[in-house]
Amino acid sequence: MQKNFFEVIIVDQSSNDETQKMIESMNWNQVIYEKVSFKGLSKARNEAIRLSSGDIFCLIDDDAYYEQ
């Protein structure tokens, strides 16, 4: 199986389906989306690490903004 150069992993803890709708509207094979019922930043990060297939990863929270 060929690996992607990068992947975006989204662990969604929200109570609505807005994020899921947005992801589904994008045709982007680098996105791994997981809707979870648990709450907690550490649990979400551990889940993202579990889902990852790469050797290097960066954890970015939903309230973080980065300059180009």
Side-chain angles (χ1 to χ4, degrees):
M1 181 171 98
Q2 182 181 357
K3 281 189 170 185
N4 292 320
F5 179 68
F6 70 94
E7 58 193 8
V8 175
I9 300 171
I10 299 171
V11 178
D12 186 1
Q13 299 178 338
S14 66
S15 58
N16 61 49
D17 60 352
E18 295 303 311
T19 302
Q20 184 175 1
K21 286 180 183 177
M22 182 190 69
I23 297 303
E24 289 173 352
S25 72
M26 301 166 51
N27 188 17
W28 200 25
N29 63 354
Q30 286 93 350
V31 174
I32 299 169
Y33 174 81
E34 176 109 352
K35 179 76 168 181
V36 294
S37 59
F38 59 78
K39 299 292 182 193
L41 179 60
S42 295
K43 286 182 180 181
R45 287 181 172 181
N46 287 332
E47 182 68 8
I49 291 168
R50 187 187 71 76
L51 293 169
S52 69
S53 64
D55 298 322
I56 300 170
F57 56 88
C58 177
L59 300 169
I60 302 172
D61 299 325
D62 63 343
D63 60 350
Y65 295 91
Y66 300 92
E67 296 290 329
Q68 288 187 8

